[in-house]
Amino acid sequence: MSLGRIGQQAKLCLKNQSKYQHLGAFVPSTSNTEYITKASQEAEERHDRDRPLSIIDGELIAIKDNICTTDQPTTCASEALQGFCSPFSATVVERLQAAGAIIAGKTNLDEFGMGSHGVNSAHGPVKSPASDRGSQRSVGGSSGGSALATSTRQCFAALGTDTGGSIRLPAARTGTVGFKPSYGTVSRWGVIAYANSLDTVGVFGRSVEAAKQVYRLIEGHDPRDPTSISPLTRSRVESQVSCRPRSKTLRIGIPREYLLRELDPLIKKHWSLALQLLRAQGHSIHLVSLPTTKAALAAYYILAPAEASSNLAKYDGVRYGNRAPNDRDKPNVLFSSTRGNNFGAEVRRRILLGSYTLSSTAIDNYFIRAQKVRRLVQDDFNNVFAIRHPLLQHQEENLRKEYDKEETSVDILVTPTSLNLPPLLSSLQSDKNDDPTKQFQEDIYTVPASLAGLPAISVPVPCMDWMQVGLQVMGQYGDDERVLDAASKLEELLKDADDLSVGEHEDRETSASSDSETFGKVTVD
C-alpha cells in the first residue's frame, strides 16, 4: 500500500526520531511507532474523504514532559516522578487530539522546568545536532527537547511551557519559532506547575504559520483552569485590542535598556541588520525606555523559586512521587532522603532559595519587594505600547504621561532573544562551572515579558550551521495576533535577506570591533 502525504510525513518523523535518538530530544520509550502509524493512516482516510478534523489533522505534535498525558508517563525529567502515569490528559493535549493531531512522544526538559540549557534532566542532557569543531553547544532550556525535536523534523510542531523564557530561548538556539501567548489565554490544566503566576503553555514550529496553526487550536477558555481568562474577559480584551486596527506598517520600539554592553557582537549585528530591513519596508523605529528592566531578572529569581518551593512540597513520596527505601528505615524521618535523592541540584537550590524568601524574616525584604518590581515592569510596558492594558485600563490613567501621545507609543518591541551565543555543553557540565547562577543571565531579555504576562515570540535569524540567533517580538497583553503577524513579516524579510548570514570562518573580533558602527546605521524615527 502506497503512503499518502500524511503517511510519508509520519514515516519521515519516525526515521528522524531514530536518527537523532542520541541527542536526547525525547524521553525514552514515549514514542509509539505502532500508534503513530495507525493514527496517520486514519488521518489519511479522513483527508481522502475531504473530512479532516482540522488543519493539523494527521500532524505529529511532541509534548513537553511536564504536560500530562494518559498514554505516556509524565516525569518532568525528575527521579521523583519516574514511572508516574497521569489519570488524565492536559486540556491542551485533549484539544490537539480532538483536532486530529498525533502525539509524537514526550520531550526532554530541565527538571521541573528549572534551567536554561537543557542539562538538568534525569534522562540526560539535550544535545545540539551541529557542532563547532566537534564541540556540542547548548540547545537552551527548559523546553530544549521540544525545540530540538521540531528543528530536526522529528515532529511537525511541539508544545512547551514558558516561565521566564523556556520556549523563546531554546527556539533562538535551535533555529525554530517559539511563541509564548498572553498569560491565561491557553489552559494550564494538566500542566505540572513550576510557578503558577508565570507558567504559560506555548508552541514551537519551523515557521510562524505552523506555530500559529497550533496556537489557534489550543487557546480558549477552560473552566477547569482558574487562571484561564473567562469568555467575558476575552471579549473585553478583544474589544480593547480592536480599537487600534492593524496596518501594513508598524511602529517598532527598541528598549534603551536592552542595548547592553554584554550583548554578543554577532547577535547585536543581526539585530541591527534586521531593524534596517524592517525600516526599509516602511516600518518606523523608535527608542523607548523600560527603566525597571534592570531589576526584572532579580525579581523573577525571587518570585519563581518562591512559587516553586510551594508547588514542589507535595513530592515527598507520601502523596506524590517515588519514595527512597532508606526513609522507611530511619526512625522519626518521613521524607528527607526522598526529597534529597530524587531532586537534582538545581531543583534543590531553587527550593532552598524560595523557602528562604518566603520565610517570616525575609518575605518583606525579598518577596514583597519583588512583587512591587513586577508591577513596575508591567507599568513600563503599558507606558510604551499604543494599546493600553485591557485588564488594567481603569488603573492606568495617571501612568502614561508623556507616552500618551500617538507619536511616542509603539505597536511592538523587537529585541534579541538571548544575551549570548549558545555555550559549549562541556563548559556547562565541567567541574569548573562553580557558579550555577551564571545561567540566570541568559533570561535577561525574556523575563520582563513573562513578569508582565505579555505575548512574545522568537524568530530565527539565518546565521551559521552550528550557531543560531533569535530575535524576539513582544506586544501588549492580548495583542497576540498582532505579534504573530509582525513575526511573520520579520520571518519573510529574514528569509529573503542575503547579507544576514555570517560565514563560519569569519573573525569574531572583526565583528566585535565594527559592531557599534553597524548598529549605528539604524535610523531612529
Side-chain angles (χ1 to χ4, degrees):
M1 179 181 176
S2 60
L3 294 175
R5 179 187 64 85
I6 293 175
Q8 290 175 352
Q9 288 179 349
K11 184 178 179 181
L12 177 61
C13 289
L14 289 171
K15 180 180 178 181
N16 286 335
Q17 287 184 18
S18 177
K19 178 180 178 180
Y20 296 113
Q21 184 178 2
H22 64 287
L23 299 178
F26 283 92
V27 173
S29 304
T30 61
S31 179
N32 188 324
T33 301
E34 183 179 347
Y35 153 73
I36 292 174
T37 302
K38 181 180 178 182
S40 63
Q41 291 173 350
E42 294 173 351
E44 196 84 69
E45 293 173 359
R46 290 193 293 270
H47 279 271
D48 290 342
R49 297 195 305 268
D50 200 25
R51 298 182 64 182
L53 296 176
S54 73
I55 195 170
I56 66 164
D57 190 1
E59 301 288 2
L60 269 68
I61 309 293
I63 309 295
K64 187 177 178 180
D65 196 32
N66 63 344
I67 301 175
C68 289
T69 54
T70 55
D71 297 328
Q72 302 100 348
T74 302
T75 69
C76 288
S78 175
E79 293 289 350
L81 285 175
Q82 290 304 305
F84 170 71
C85 291
S86 172
F88 56 85
S89 290
T91 296
V92 289
V93 175
E94 292 177 346
R95 289 179 177 176
L96 287 176
Q97 291 176 323
I102 302 171
I103 305 304
K106 304 297 285 292
T107 56
N108 205 355
L109 67 149
D110 287 291
E111 185 179 7
F112 285 102
M114 300 182 192
S116 300
H117 296 295
V119 297
N120 303 323
S121 169
H123 306 298
V126 184
K127 305 171 185 176
S128 60
S131 63
D132 173 17
R133 301 171 182 87
S135 300
Q136 289 183 307
R137 292 183 174 266
S138 165
V139 299
S142 63
S143 306
S146 290
L148 180 61
T150 304
S151 68
T152 52
R153 298 180 180 271
Q154 300 181 57
C155 58
F156 168 74
L159 294 189
T161 56
D162 192 305
T163 308
S166 295
I167 287 177
R168 290 160 285 161
L169 184 60
R173 292 185 168 169
T174 56
T176 55
V177 171
F179 177 52
K180 181 197 87 72
S182 297
Y183 180 82
T185 57
V186 177
S187 172
R188 289 177 48 251
W189 193 81
V191 177
I192 296 178
Y194 165 18
N196 303 58
S197 70
L198 296 162
D199 292 343
T200 305
V201 178
V203 186
F204 290 95
R206 288 188 294 276
S207 67
V208 175
E209 182 59 30
K212 187 187 300 185
Q213 290 173 359
V214 177
Y215 162 68
R216 287 176 174 170
L217 288 170
I218 63 173
E219 69 92 22
H221 175 60
D222 180 10
R224 296 177 293 187
D225 175 15
T227 63
S228 176
I229 55 178
S230 67
L232 181 62
T233 304
R234 288 173 189 268
S235 176
R236 177 181 168 189
V237 170
E238 291 171 4
S239 176
Q240 179 73 13
V241 168
S242 64
C243 290
R244 185 173 179 83
R246 289 179 223 162
S247 62
K248 293 183 179 180
T249 58
L250 294 166
R251 295 176 61 83
I252 300 171
I254 307 173
R256 289 186 179 91
E257 292 75 15
Y258 284 43
L259 296 166
L260 298 175
R261 183 174 299 176
E262 297 84 357
L263 178 62
D264 187 277
L266 188 61
I267 298 176
K268 195 171 186 179
K269 176 181 179 179
H270 284 76
W271 183 22
S272 170
L273 293 172
L275 291 171
Q276 291 178 45
L277 291 173
L278 288 166
R279 196 172 193 281
Q281 294 296 312
H283 307 291
S284 57
I285 310 298
H286 307 268
L287 276 175
V288 297
S289 180
L290 302 172
T292 320
T293 294
K294 297 177 181 179
L297 192 64
Y300 171 82
Y301 277 104
I302 291 173
L303 297 174
E307 293 188 35
S309 68
S310 175
N311 284 324
L312 270 61
K314 57 180 171 285
Y315 301 108
D316 52 18
V318 178
R319 291 165 292 183
Y320 281 100
N322 299 317
R323 186 164 175 78
N326 53 348
D327 262 352
R328 298 185 176 92
D329 302 331
K330 295 179 181 179
N332 302 318
V333 174
L334 184 60
F335 52 72
S336 61
S337 295
T338 294
R339 289 175 64 80
N341 295 336
N342 287 344
F343 288 145
E346 185 60 30
V347 173
R348 294 197 302 269
R349 185 179 298 113
R350 298 195 190 194
I351 289 174
L352 289 172
L353 175 61
S355 298
Y356 173 71
T357 58
L358 289 177
S359 66
S360 59
T361 57
I363 190 168
D364 289 336
N365 285 334
Y366 291 95
F367 187 78
I368 300 300
R369 288 189 179 185
Q371 290 284 25
K372 292 177 180 178
V373 169
R374 182 178 191 175
R375 182 52 193 268
L376 291 175
V377 169
Q378 190 178 63
D379 291 343
D380 284 351
F381 282 114
N382 293 342
N383 288 338
V384 301
F385 283 127
I387 299 175
R388 302 187 182 190
H389 196 300
L391 303 185
L392 301 174
Q393 183 179 356
H394 63 287
Q395 301 178 25
E396 301 302 327
E397 297 301 328
N398 298 322
L399 291 174
R400 300 187 62 83
K401 299 179 182 178
E402 70 273 14
Y403 295 99
D404 207 27
K405 297 180 181 179
E406 170 69 21
E407 61 267 20
T408 56
S409 59
V410 297
D411 297 307
I412 59 168
L413 300 174
V414 175
T415 74
T417 306
S418 60
L419 183 68
N420 301 305
L421 295 173
L424 295 172
L425 273 183
S426 57
S427 68
L428 298 171
Q429 298 171 315
S430 170
D431 293 337
K432 295 180 181 179
N433 185 28
D434 55 358
D435 185 4
T437 61
K438 284 183 179 178
Q439 67 172 302
F440 294 176
Q441 70 177 354
E442 299 296 335
D443 303 328
I444 193 167
Y445 287 139
T446 55
V447 155
S450 293
L451 288 175
L454 306 182
I457 187 169
S458 180
V459 180
V461 180
C463 192
M464 58 185 74
D465 291 339
W466 53 268
M467 194 74 71
Q468 302 292 342
V469 171
L471 293 179
Q472 180 179 215
V473 179
M474 294 180 279
Q476 179 59 284
Y477 182 87
D479 205 10
D480 298 55
E481 290 295 332
R482 196 188 310 269
V483 168
L484 288 166
D485 289 347
S488 294
K489 294 176 181 178
L490 178 59
E491 180 184 49
E492 288 303 315
L493 287 175
L494 295 175
K495 283 181 179 178
D496 295 338
D498 296 326
D499 59 343
L500 280 177
S501 296
V502 179
E504 182 174 350
H505 302 292
E506 179 174 335
D507 188 350
R508 289 285 308 283
E509 292 183 2
T510 302
S511 296
S513 62
S514 60
D515 179 68
S516 59
E517 179 183 350
T518 302
F519 200 85
K521 292 178 182 178
V522 179
T523 304
V524 178
D525 296 280

